[in-house]
Amino acid sequence: SIARIGTTTSISFTTTNDATVIYRLRSTNSAGLTAPLFTWATSSATVTGNGQVRTLQDDSSDGDRFYSISASR
């Protein structure tokens, strides 16, 4: 789910039950949608998999934002 309060967008999602998987939030504006995903801005905050719902947040006054969640080991 996605919720925006003020300038903070919270994105909640269910993770795998694997603590070796690290999730990061990537973001861009509409101008960046044609750029490769790896070039999108990456949040410094991460969460690890635990089989539960986890939340990553983005604080931006830019209302023109698109998000992707990346998972890696």
Side-chain angles (χ1 to χ4, degrees):
S1 69
I2 299 175
R4 184 169 174 97
I5 299 174
T7 60
T8 302
T9 302
S10 299
I11 301 171
S12 299
F13 58 99
T14 303
T15 64
T16 62
N17 193 15
D18 184 343
T20 67
V21 177
I22 299 169
Y23 297 88
R24 289 180 177 81
L25 184 64
R26 295 179 179 272
S27 62
T28 191
N29 58 22
S30 59
L33 285 175
T34 58
L37 187 60
F38 70 87
T39 65
W40 290 20
T42 304
S43 171
S44 61
T46 62
V47 295
T48 56
N50 66 359
Q52 303 295 315
V53 174
R54 304 298 300 263
T55 300
L56 290 168
Q57 294 183 323
D58 176 48
D59 189 29
S60 173
S61 60
D62 185 358
D64 177 32
R65 301 285 270 188
F66 296 86
Y67 297 98
S68 175
I69 296 170
S70 63
S72 62
R73 287 200 160 107

